[in-house]
mmCIF file of all heavy atoms in Angstrom:
data_model
loop_
_atom_site.group_PDB
_atom_site.id
_atom_site.type_symbol
_atom_site.label_atom_id
_atom_site.label_comp_id
_atom_site.label_asym_id
_atom_site.label_seq_id
_atom_site.Cartn_x
_atom_site.Cartn_y
_atom_site.Cartn_z
ATOM 1 N N GLY I 548 11.874 21.393 -3.493
ATOM 2 C CA GLY I 548 13.021 21.408 -2.590
ATOM 3 C C GLY I 548 14.195 22.122 -3.244
ATOM 4 O O GLY I 548 14.182 22.380 -4.454
ATOM 5 N N TRP I 549 15.139 22.501 -2.418
ATOM 6 C CA TRP I 549 16.389 23.116 -2.943
ATOM 7 C C TRP I 549 17.570 22.326 -2.435
ATOM 8 O O TRP I 549 17.537 21.708 -1.384
ATOM 9 C CB TRP I 549 16.542 24.556 -2.430
ATOM 10 C CG TRP I 549 15.625 25.582 -3.007
ATOM 11 C CD1 TRP I 549 14.873 26.499 -2.274
ATOM 12 C CD2 TRP I 549 15.379 25.903 -4.378
ATOM 13 N NE1 TRP I 549 14.173 27.335 -3.135
ATOM 14 C CE2 TRP I 549 14.476 26.991 -4.428
ATOM 15 C CE3 TRP I 549 15.830 25.399 -5.587
ATOM 16 C CZ2 TRP I 549 13.987 27.538 -5.594
ATOM 17 C CZ3 TRP I 549 15.360 25.927 -6.790
ATOM 18 C CH2 TRP I 549 14.481 26.984 -6.768
ATOM 19 N N VAL I 550 18.637 22.392 -3.212
ATOM 20 C CA VAL I 550 19.951 21.867 -2.803
ATOM 21 C C VAL I 550 20.879 23.045 -2.736
ATOM 22 O O VAL I 550 21.499 23.412 -3.722
ATOM 23 C CB VAL I 550 20.462 20.821 -3.789
ATOM 24 C CG1 VAL I 550 21.747 20.189 -3.248
ATOM 25 C CG2 VAL I 550 19.433 19.735 -4.074
ATOM 26 N N PRO I 551 20.960 23.723 -1.599
ATOM 27 C CA PRO I 551 21.706 24.985 -1.552
ATOM 28 C C PRO I 551 23.205 24.813 -1.578
ATOM 29 O O PRO I 551 23.718 23.763 -1.134
ATOM 30 C CB PRO I 551 21.226 25.620 -0.243
ATOM 31 C CG PRO I 551 20.826 24.475 0.617
ATOM 32 C CD PRO I 551 20.393 23.379 -0.292
ATOM 33 N N PRO I 552 23.921 25.825 -2.088
ATOM 34 C CA PRO I 552 25.398 25.789 -2.019
ATOM 35 C C PRO I 552 25.812 26.054 -0.576
ATOM 36 O O PRO I 552 24.967 26.351 0.262
ATOM 37 C CB PRO I 552 25.811 26.933 -2.916
ATOM 38 C CG PRO I 552 24.666 27.870 -2.913
ATOM 39 C CD PRO I 552 23.434 27.016 -2.744
ATOM 40 N N PRO I 553 27.114 25.974 -0.235
ATOM 41 C CA PRO I 553 27.523 26.119 1.183
ATOM 42 C C PRO I 553 27.035 27.404 1.830
ATOM 43 O O PRO I 553 26.797 27.423 3.027
ATOM 44 C CB PRO I 553 29.029 26.087 1.097
ATOM 45 C CG PRO I 553 29.333 25.277 -0.164
ATOM 46 C CD PRO I 553 28.235 25.568 -1.087
ATOM 47 N N GLU I 554 26.927 28.458 1.062
ATOM 48 C CA GLU I 554 26.320 29.685 1.597
ATOM 49 C C GLU I 554 25.474 30.322 0.505
ATOM 50 O O GLU I 554 26.007 30.622 -0.590
ATOM 51 C CB GLU I 554 27.385 30.647 2.112
ATOM 52 C CG GLU I 554 26.797 31.903 2.758
ATOM 53 C CD GLU I 554 27.883 32.858 3.245
ATOM 54 O OE1 GLU I 554 29.039 32.443 3.409
ATOM 55 O OE2 GLU I 554 27.543 34.018 3.455
ATOM 56 N N VAL I 555 24.224 30.507 0.783
ATOM 57 C CA VAL I 555 23.301 30.951 -0.289
ATOM 58 C C VAL I 555 23.355 32.456 -0.401
ATOM 59 O O VAL I 555 23.335 33.162 0.599
ATOM 60 C CB VAL I 555 21.875 30.487 0.070
ATOM 61 C CG1 VAL I 555 20.840 31.114 -0.879
ATOM 62 C CG2 VAL I 555 21.769 28.984 0.046
ATOM 63 N N ASP I 556 23.432 32.912 -1.648
ATOM 64 C CA ASP I 556 23.190 34.344 -1.913
ATOM 65 C C ASP I 556 21.639 34.432 -2.062
ATOM 66 O O ASP I 556 21.096 33.919 -3.021
ATOM 67 C CB ASP I 556 23.882 34.721 -3.201
ATOM 68 C CG ASP I 556 23.637 36.232 -3.542
ATOM 69 O OD1 ASP I 556 22.772 36.812 -2.873
ATOM 70 O OD2 ASP I 556 24.290 36.721 -4.453
ATOM 71 N N PRO I 557 20.981 35.087 -1.119
ATOM 72 C CA PRO I 557 19.518 35.060 -1.130
ATOM 73 C C PRO I 557 18.860 35.842 -2.226
ATOM 74 O O PRO I 557 17.620 35.855 -2.347
ATOM 75 C CB PRO I 557 19.150 35.634 0.250
ATOM 76 C CG PRO I 557 20.395 35.850 0.974
ATOM 77 C CD PRO I 557 21.484 35.888 -0.006
ATOM 78 N N GLU I 558 19.639 36.530 -3.033
ATOM 79 C CA GLU I 558 19.026 37.416 -4.021
ATOM 80 C C GLU I 558 18.025 36.682 -4.953
ATOM 81 O O GLU I 558 16.902 37.124 -5.125
ATOM 82 C CB GLU I 558 20.113 38.055 -4.866
ATOM 83 C CG GLU I 558 19.489 39.051 -5.865
ATOM 84 C CD GLU I 558 20.494 39.554 -6.933
ATOM 85 O OE1 GLU I 558 21.515 40.078 -6.524
ATOM 86 O OE2 GLU I 558 20.206 39.376 -8.111
ATOM 87 N N GLY I 559 18.467 35.589 -5.509
ATOM 88 C CA GLY I 559 17.605 34.867 -6.452
ATOM 89 C C GLY I 559 16.287 34.412 -5.856
ATOM 90 O O GLY I 559 15.277 34.321 -6.534
ATOM 91 N N LEU I 560 16.326 34.112 -4.566
ATOM 92 C CA LEU I 560 15.124 33.589 -3.893
ATOM 93 C C LEU I 560 14.190 34.674 -3.459
ATOM 94 O O LEU I 560 12.959 34.519 -3.528
ATOM 95 C CB LEU I 560 15.513 32.725 -2.717
ATOM 96 C CG LEU I 560 16.238 31.422 -2.976
ATOM 97 C CD1 LEU I 560 16.640 30.804 -1.643
ATOM 98 C CD2 LEU I 560 15.316 30.490 -3.740
ATOM 99 N N TRP I 561 14.731 35.773 -2.926
ATOM 100 C CA TRP I 561 13.861 36.724 -2.220
ATOM 101 C C TRP I 561 13.889 38.152 -2.726
ATOM 102 O O TRP I 561 13.071 38.951 -2.302
ATOM 103 C CB TRP I 561 14.279 36.747 -0.731
ATOM 104 C CG TRP I 561 14.340 35.409 -0.065
ATOM 105 C CD1 TRP I 561 15.408 34.862 0.552
ATOM 106 C CD2 TRP I 561 13.286 34.424 0.010
ATOM 107 N NE1 TRP I 561 15.108 33.637 0.996
ATOM 108 C CE2 TRP I 561 13.794 33.335 0.723
ATOM 109 C CE3 TRP I 561 11.972 34.364 -0.431
ATOM 110 C CZ2 TRP I 561 13.067 32.178 0.964
ATOM 111 C CZ3 TRP I 561 11.222 33.246 -0.158
ATOM 112 C CH2 TRP I 561 11.761 32.158 0.531
ATOM 113 N N HIS I 562 14.809 38.502 -3.581
ATOM 114 C CA HIS I 562 14.850 39.929 -3.983
ATOM 115 C C HIS I 562 13.663 40.249 -4.898
ATOM 116 O O HIS I 562 13.298 39.456 -5.754
ATOM 117 C CB HIS I 562 16.179 40.219 -4.725
ATOM 118 C CG HIS I 562 16.506 41.671 -4.752
ATOM 119 N ND1 HIS I 562 15.860 42.581 -5.552
ATOM 120 C CD2 HIS I 562 17.485 42.380 -4.086
ATOM 121 C CE1 HIS I 562 16.377 43.795 -5.373
ATOM 122 N NE2 HIS I 562 17.374 43.698 -4.478
ATOM 123 N N SER I 563 13.141 41.460 -4.699
ATOM 124 C CA SER I 563 11.906 41.785 -5.450
ATOM 125 C C SER I 563 12.129 41.898 -6.927
ATOM 126 O O SER I 563 11.168 41.824 -7.687
ATOM 127 C CB SER I 563 11.333 43.101 -4.893
ATOM 128 O OG SER I 563 12.306 44.152 -5.041
#
Side-chain angles (χ1 to χ4, degrees):
Chain I
W549 289 129
V550 185
E554 184 179 342
V555 172
D556 179 349
E558 183 191 303
L560 292 175
W561 308 122
H562 200 287
S563 59

